[in-house]
Amino acid sequence: MTTTVEPASESAADRARWLAVTSLAAGTFILVTSEMLPVGLLTSIGSSLGVSDGTAGLMMTAPGLVAAVAAPVLAITTRRLDRRVTLLGLMALLGVANLAGALAQDYPFMLAARVLTGVSIGGFWAFAAALGPRLVPDRFVGRATSIILAGVSVASVLGVPAAAFLSSFADWRAAFAALGVAALALVALLAATLPPLPGEPPTKPGPSGPAAGGPGKLSRPLKVVLVLTVLIVSGHFAAYTYVRPFLEQVAGAGPAFVGAALLLYGAAGVAGNFAAGAQAAGRPRAVLVTLAALMAVATAALPLIDLPLAALVVWGVGYGGVGVTLQLWIMRSGGGELGTALFVCAFNVSIALGAFAGGRVADGVSVAAVMWLGAALAAVSVAVAGIGGRSRRSGS
């Protein structure tokens, strides 16, 4: 009797664990897609709400800055709360924020909705990324973490093109409304699949504390990864936030072409995500150098050639692997939940900085010039990863 019941019981438990992991991956996908939603809709939203492309880019800056603050603050202030309850609340807040964005009739109201989006992003991403060890046995932690974080990577390269494609057949508000409904539906799925995840007492300070750099210190590998995060992600979003105006104004593309081009970019990015993930665990520095070089070449080529689709594919492959590569590198550098929160903080500050800098260049110089800015920061990332990343502890 024991030999027949126990395997069935274990199988059911395994399914429950992986269903919880998959639900978190869906959460990170909706979360990051919501954050980057304005990228593919920038021109339409700006025109509808009566602001310039550069000012409309603040819809990326605001949630990025808020998420950067929310990640470490929530990691500390909600440490004793059940993570299941916290995640449900943050996903519900995201649903409300997206629905509010769909109803916005003026720009200040839209920015207020985007601030709520930022709170959800900072908390959910930081907590979900660290839950692998609590959901699956030790031997599967790496796989579970990769699946959860795949939602971030896939959203970065597929969510925006999908929203742009949807908006080419409907109003931009439909994209916000669809994500709002999806987030609220996911609340129910998370409630059904996540087990209780009791909060933990504060970690005692010591040499094995956050980021494995001793009390109050960050390890050198972690510092390198955080610097690279700021450089490469800022460069990407300085250019990518304004890719739709670039395609329309410089390449002369229509809405249908833009939607299809961004979907092609997204497909290339998904391929880059999984290709990089297969290689980055053993040599993250080398993989990141290659990815940043691809991004630099692609963004520099866009204003110079008449083949935007080819450049977008190369760009998609490059950036598609950045998220998983940085995350695998940072896991090798130590840190735990707070270390992940610092990474989320740096990532979202970078989104905000990139979108803001790109907006100033787009309004002050030209939309084409933002591609040169993105190329320059990607090139600097190549140098920093190649030189500063040389460390045994970094996994290189």
Side-chain angles (χ1 to χ4, degrees):
M1 295 293 292
T2 303
T3 57
T4 58
V5 174
E6 193 171 40
S9 176
E10 290 177 355
S11 178
D14 288 342
R15 285 196 297 270
R17 293 189 190 103
W18 290 108
L19 187 56
V21 169
T22 304
S23 299
L24 289 175
T28 55
F29 174 80
I30 292 176
L31 195 83
V32 179
T33 300
S34 298
E35 179 176 18
M36 296 187 299
L37 190 59
V39 171
L41 310 174
L42 203 66
T43 305
S44 301
I45 297 175
S47 176
S48 177
L49 300 182
V51 296
S52 69
D53 289 340
T55 300
L58 293 175
M59 289 184 291
M60 291 291 294
T61 304
L65 290 176
V66 172
V69 174
V73 169
L74 289 174
I76 295 171
T77 59
T78 68
R79 191 162 193 139
R80 295 181 181 275
L81 296 181
D82 189 312
R83 283 289 173 258
R84 178 175 180 272
V85 174
T86 306
L87 290 171
L88 292 176
L90 290 168
M91 186 54 62
L93 179 63
L94 181 67
V96 171
N98 280 330
L99 292 176
L103 298 173
Q105 298 300 315
D106 56 54
Y107 195 59
F109 188 90
M110 173 61 84
L111 282 183
R114 297 297 289 168
V115 166
L116 295 180
T117 300
V119 174
S120 302
I121 292 165
F124 194 100
W125 185 355
F127 298 149
L131 283 180
R134 303 185 66 182
L135 293 175
V136 299
D138 290 345
R139 65 184 184 278
F140 295 129
V141 166
R143 184 190 305 175
T145 303
S146 297
I147 292 173
I148 293 170
L149 293 174
V152 176
S153 300
V154 174
S156 299
V157 295
L158 192 59
V160 171
F165 191 73
L166 172 63
S167 71
S168 67
F169 295 98
D171 188 69
W172 62 266
R173 298 178 187 277
F176 275 88
L179 275 175
V181 172
L184 294 179
L186 189 60
V187 172
L189 180 60
L190 290 169
T193 58
L194 287 180
L197 298 164
E200 300 176 354
T203 303
K204 295 181 180 180
S208 60
K217 297 180 181 180
L218 300 180
S219 66
R220 180 183 178 277
L222 180 56
K223 291 178 182 177
V224 171
V225 176
L226 294 177
V227 169
L228 284 168
T229 300
V230 173
L231 286 172
I232 200 167
V233 177
S234 293
H236 171 75
F237 281 97
Y240 190 58
T241 302
Y242 304 95
V243 69
R244 180 163 188 157
F246 172 84
L247 290 174
E248 292 175 343
Q249 299 171 23
V250 180
F257 179 88
V258 171
L262 291 179
L263 277 176
L264 182 62
Y265 164 92
V270 172
N273 170 64
F274 290 106
Q279 300 295 324
R283 46 196 188 101
R285 181 179 68 89
V287 172
L288 196 66
V289 166
T290 302
L291 297 174
L294 290 175
M295 293 173 62
V297 170
T299 48
L302 270 172
L304 300 176
I305 64 175
D306 295 326
L307 298 171
L309 288 180
L312 283 172
V313 167
V314 175
W315 189 359
V317 171
Y319 184 71
V322 164
V324 65
T325 301
L326 287 171
Q327 185 63 51
L328 288 170
W329 198 347
I330 209 166
M331 288 176 69
R332 295 173 69 94
S333 303
E337 189 174 85
L338 186 56
T340 301
L342 291 174
F343 173 61
V344 173
C345 177
F347 202 104
N348 284 283
V349 165
S350 305
I351 293 174
L353 288 175
F356 180 79
R360 305 290 69 76
V361 172
D363 286 350
V365 184
S366 69
V367 173
V370 300
M371 299 300 161
W372 292 108
L373 175 59
L377 289 174
V380 173
S381 301
V382 172
V384 172
I387 299 172
R390 293 181 182 277
S391 169
R392 291 181 180 179
R393 292 182 65 192
S394 72
S396 299

mmCIF file of all heavy atoms in Angstrom, residues 299-325:
data_model
loop_
_atom_site.group_PDB
_atom_site.id
_atom_site.type_symbol
_atom_site.label_atom_id
_atom_site.label_comp_id
_atom_site.label_asym_id
_atom_site.label_seq_id
_atom_site.Cartn_x
_atom_site.Cartn_y
_atom_site.Cartn_z
ATOM 1 N N THR A 299 22.019 49.206 -32.243
ATOM 2 C CA THR A 299 21.489 50.553 -32.037
ATOM 3 C C THR A 299 22.277 51.597 -32.830
ATOM 4 O O THR A 299 21.711 52.585 -33.305
ATOM 5 C CB THR A 299 21.486 50.916 -30.545
ATOM 6 O OG1 THR A 299 22.773 50.606 -29.966
ATOM 7 C CG2 THR A 299 20.420 50.149 -29.799
ATOM 8 N N ALA A 300 23.577 51.369 -33.004
ATOM 9 C CA ALA A 300 24.372 52.291 -33.823
ATOM 10 C C ALA A 300 23.995 52.177 -35.296
ATOM 11 O O ALA A 300 24.044 53.171 -36.047
ATOM 12 C CB ALA A 300 25.867 52.006 -33.643
ATOM 13 N N ALA A 301 23.602 50.982 -35.722
ATOM 14 C CA ALA A 301 23.291 50.768 -37.131
ATOM 15 C C ALA A 301 21.917 51.313 -37.529
ATOM 16 O O ALA A 301 21.715 51.690 -38.693
ATOM 17 C CB ALA A 301 23.356 49.272 -37.449
ATOM 18 N N LEU A 302 20.989 51.364 -36.589
ATOM 19 C CA LEU A 302 19.621 51.751 -36.925
ATOM 20 C C LEU A 302 19.523 53.085 -37.669
ATOM 21 O O LEU A 302 18.813 53.183 -38.675
ATOM 22 C CB LEU A 302 18.754 51.776 -35.661
ATOM 23 C CG LEU A 302 18.054 50.466 -35.311
ATOM 24 C CD1 LEU A 302 17.391 50.553 -33.950
ATOM 25 C CD2 LEU A 302 17.012 50.109 -36.379
ATOM 26 N N PRO A 303 20.207 54.165 -37.213
ATOM 27 C CA PRO A 303 20.086 55.428 -37.956
ATOM 28 C C PRO A 303 20.853 55.436 -39.280
ATOM 29 O O PRO A 303 20.690 56.374 -40.068
ATOM 30 C CB PRO A 303 20.698 56.460 -36.981
ATOM 31 C CG PRO A 303 20.796 55.787 -35.672
ATOM 32 C CD PRO A 303 20.979 54.335 -35.977
ATOM 33 N N LEU A 304 21.683 54.428 -39.532
ATOM 34 C CA LEU A 304 22.594 54.456 -40.676
ATOM 35 C C LEU A 304 22.154 53.576 -41.836
ATOM 36 O O LEU A 304 22.596 53.784 -42.969
ATOM 37 C CB LEU A 304 24.007 54.020 -40.238
ATOM 38 C CG LEU A 304 24.678 54.871 -39.145
ATOM 39 C CD1 LEU A 304 26.010 54.256 -38.768
ATOM 40 C CD2 LEU A 304 24.849 56.307 -39.618
ATOM 41 N N ILE A 305 21.324 52.571 -41.572
ATOM 42 C CA ILE A 305 20.973 51.623 -42.625
ATOM 43 C C ILE A 305 19.483 51.660 -42.913
ATOM 44 O O ILE A 305 18.690 52.192 -42.122
ATOM 45 C CB ILE A 305 21.391 50.182 -42.243
ATOM 46 C CG1 ILE A 305 20.610 49.713 -41.003
ATOM 47 C CG2 ILE A 305 22.890 50.113 -41.978
ATOM 48 C CD1 ILE A 305 20.870 48.278 -40.622
ATOM 49 N N ASP A 306 19.109 51.103 -44.045
ATOM 50 C CA ASP A 306 17.702 51.051 -44.438
ATOM 51 C C ASP A 306 17.074 49.703 -44.136
ATOM 52 O O ASP A 306 16.085 49.318 -44.766
ATOM 53 C CB ASP A 306 17.585 51.348 -45.938
ATOM 54 C CG ASP A 306 18.003 52.772 -46.283
ATOM 55 O OD1 ASP A 306 17.764 53.662 -45.447
ATOM 56 O OD2 ASP A 306 18.574 52.972 -47.370
ATOM 57 N N LEU A 307 17.659 48.964 -43.191
ATOM 58 C CA LEU A 307 17.161 47.640 -42.822
ATOM 59 C C LEU A 307 16.842 47.614 -41.325
ATOM 60 O O LEU A 307 17.522 46.938 -40.549
ATOM 61 C CB LEU A 307 18.196 46.570 -43.165
ATOM 62 C CG LEU A 307 18.549 46.422 -44.653
ATOM 63 C CD1 LEU A 307 19.738 45.480 -44.816
ATOM 64 C CD2 LEU A 307 17.346 45.917 -45.437
ATOM 65 N N PRO A 308 15.813 48.360 -40.904
ATOM 66 C CA PRO A 308 15.520 48.399 -39.462
ATOM 67 C C PRO A 308 15.157 47.047 -38.877
ATOM 68 O O PRO A 308 15.445 46.772 -37.720
ATOM 69 C CB PRO A 308 14.348 49.386 -39.368
ATOM 70 C CG PRO A 308 13.729 49.382 -40.732
ATOM 71 C CD PRO A 308 14.862 49.172 -41.682
ATOM 72 N N LEU A 309 14.532 46.176 -39.684
ATOM 73 C CA LEU A 309 14.133 44.876 -39.140
ATOM 74 C C LEU A 309 15.349 44.043 -38.759
ATOM 75 O O LEU A 309 15.365 43.396 -37.705
ATOM 76 C CB LEU A 309 13.276 44.120 -40.157
ATOM 77 C CG LEU A 309 11.857 44.657 -40.375
ATOM 78 C CD1 LEU A 309 11.132 43.805 -41.404
ATOM 79 C CD2 LEU A 309 11.077 44.694 -39.073
ATOM 80 N N ALA A 310 16.386 44.064 -39.591
ATOM 81 C CA ALA A 310 17.594 43.288 -39.288
ATOM 82 C C ALA A 310 18.251 43.797 -38.012
ATOM 83 O O ALA A 310 18.660 43.009 -37.146
ATOM 84 C CB ALA A 310 18.575 43.374 -40.458
ATOM 85 N N ALA A 311 18.340 45.124 -37.868
ATOM 86 C CA ALA A 311 18.952 45.695 -36.666
ATOM 87 C C ALA A 311 18.116 45.385 -35.429
ATOM 88 O O ALA A 311 18.660 45.107 -34.348
ATOM 89 C CB ALA A 311 19.116 47.208 -36.832
ATOM 90 N N LEU A 312 16.791 45.426 -35.559
ATOM 91 C CA LEU A 312 15.922 45.127 -34.423
ATOM 92 C C LEU A 312 16.066 43.676 -33.977
ATOM 93 O O LEU A 312 16.002 43.378 -32.785
ATOM 94 C CB LEU A 312 14.466 45.421 -34.779
ATOM 95 C CG LEU A 312 14.050 46.896 -34.771
ATOM 96 C CD1 LEU A 312 12.636 47.052 -35.325
ATOM 97 C CD2 LEU A 312 14.143 47.482 -33.376
ATOM 98 N N VAL A 313 16.262 42.762 -34.923
ATOM 99 C CA VAL A 313 16.455 41.356 -34.561
ATOM 100 C C VAL A 313 17.742 41.183 -33.752
ATOM 101 O O VAL A 313 17.764 40.511 -32.711
ATOM 102 C CB VAL A 313 16.486 40.472 -35.826
ATOM 103 C CG1 VAL A 313 16.995 39.066 -35.488
ATOM 104 C CG2 VAL A 313 15.096 40.394 -36.444
ATOM 105 N N VAL A 314 18.826 41.809 -34.205
ATOM 106 C CA VAL A 314 20.097 41.728 -33.474
ATOM 107 C C VAL A 314 19.954 42.350 -32.091
ATOM 108 O O VAL A 314 20.436 41.800 -31.086
ATOM 109 C CB VAL A 314 21.221 42.419 -34.273
ATOM 110 C CG1 VAL A 314 22.520 42.444 -33.458
ATOM 111 C CG2 VAL A 314 21.453 41.705 -35.599
ATOM 112 N N TRP A 315 19.301 43.495 -32.032
ATOM 113 C CA TRP A 315 19.064 44.173 -30.753
ATOM 114 C C TRP A 315 18.245 43.263 -29.831
ATOM 115 O O TRP A 315 18.544 43.123 -28.636
ATOM 116 C CB TRP A 315 18.330 45.481 -31.019
ATOM 117 C CG TRP A 315 18.180 46.399 -29.852
ATOM 118 C CD1 TRP A 315 18.604 46.201 -28.562
ATOM 119 C CD2 TRP A 315 17.554 47.685 -29.873
ATOM 120 N NE1 TRP A 315 18.278 47.292 -27.776
ATOM 121 C CE2 TRP A 315 17.632 48.208 -28.557
ATOM 122 C CE3 TRP A 315 16.933 48.437 -30.867
ATOM 123 C CZ2 TRP A 315 17.105 49.466 -28.233
ATOM 124 C CZ3 TRP A 315 16.413 49.688 -30.540
ATOM 125 C CH2 TRP A 315 16.505 50.203 -29.233
ATOM 126 N N GLY A 316 17.209 42.637 -30.366
ATOM 127 C CA GLY A 316 16.369 41.766 -29.555
ATOM 128 C C GLY A 316 17.131 40.585 -28.994
ATOM 129 O O GLY A 316 16.991 40.240 -27.820
ATOM 130 N N VAL A 317 17.966 39.951 -29.823
ATOM 131 C CA VAL A 317 18.773 38.831 -29.347
ATOM 132 C C VAL A 317 19.694 39.284 -28.221
ATOM 133 O O VAL A 317 19.845 38.603 -27.195
ATOM 134 C CB VAL A 317 19.595 38.224 -30.502
ATOM 135 C CG1 VAL A 317 20.607 37.212 -29.964
ATOM 136 C CG2 VAL A 317 18.672 37.553 -31.510
ATOM 137 N N GLY A 318 20.315 40.466 -28.393
ATOM 138 C CA GLY A 318 21.234 40.974 -27.376
ATOM 139 C C GLY A 318 20.554 41.279 -26.057
ATOM 140 O O GLY A 318 20.918 40.734 -25.003
ATOM 141 N N TYR A 319 19.516 42.117 -26.098
ATOM 142 C CA TYR A 319 18.882 42.497 -24.836
ATOM 143 C C TYR A 319 18.075 41.355 -24.232
ATOM 144 O O TYR A 319 17.916 41.272 -23.012
ATOM 145 C CB TYR A 319 17.972 43.711 -25.023
ATOM 146 C CG TYR A 319 17.393 44.169 -23.701
ATOM 147 C CD1 TYR A 319 18.206 44.777 -22.746
ATOM 148 C CD2 TYR A 319 16.053 43.939 -23.382
ATOM 149 C CE1 TYR A 319 17.696 45.155 -21.513
ATOM 150 C CE2 TYR A 319 15.542 44.311 -22.166
ATOM 151 C CZ TYR A 319 16.369 44.927 -21.228
ATOM 152 O OH TYR A 319 15.854 45.286 -20.008
ATOM 153 N N GLY A 320 17.578 40.454 -25.079
ATOM 154 C CA GLY A 320 16.788 39.342 -24.561
ATOM 155 C C GLY A 320 17.524 38.501 -23.538
ATOM 156 O O GLY A 320 16.924 37.941 -22.631
ATOM 157 N N GLY A 321 18.853 38.412 -23.654
ATOM 158 C CA GLY A 321 19.618 37.609 -22.711
ATOM 159 C C GLY A 321 20.172 38.365 -21.524
ATOM 160 O O GLY A 321 20.749 37.764 -20.607
ATOM 161 N N VAL A 322 19.997 39.692 -21.504
ATOM 162 C CA VAL A 322 20.609 40.508 -20.451
ATOM 163 C C VAL A 322 20.036 40.206 -19.076
ATOM 164 O O VAL A 322 20.766 40.020 -18.099
ATOM 165 C CB VAL A 322 20.456 42.013 -20.786
ATOM 166 C CG1 VAL A 322 20.730 42.872 -19.555
ATOM 167 C CG2 VAL A 322 21.406 42.394 -21.911
ATOM 168 N N GLY A 323 18.704 40.144 -18.962
ATOM 169 C CA GLY A 323 18.081 39.956 -17.655
ATOM 170 C C GLY A 323 18.499 38.664 -16.976
ATOM 171 O O GLY A 323 18.915 38.665 -15.811
ATOM 172 N N VAL A 324 18.413 37.554 -17.698
ATOM 173 C CA VAL A 324 18.762 36.265 -17.094
ATOM 174 C C VAL A 324 20.259 36.182 -16.798
ATOM 175 O O VAL A 324 20.673 35.601 -15.784
ATOM 176 C CB VAL A 324 18.313 35.098 -18.009
ATOM 177 C CG1 VAL A 324 19.061 35.084 -19.323
ATOM 178 C CG2 VAL A 324 18.455 33.765 -17.289
ATOM 179 N N THR A 325 21.087 36.792 -17.653
ATOM 180 C CA THR A 325 22.535 36.759 -17.418
ATOM 181 C C THR A 325 22.916 37.551 -16.173
ATOM 182 O O THR A 325 23.698 37.088 -15.333
ATOM 183 C CB THR A 325 23.292 37.314 -18.641
ATOM 184 O OG1 THR A 325 22.955 36.530 -19.789
ATOM 185 C CG2 THR A 325 24.791 37.261 -18.423
#
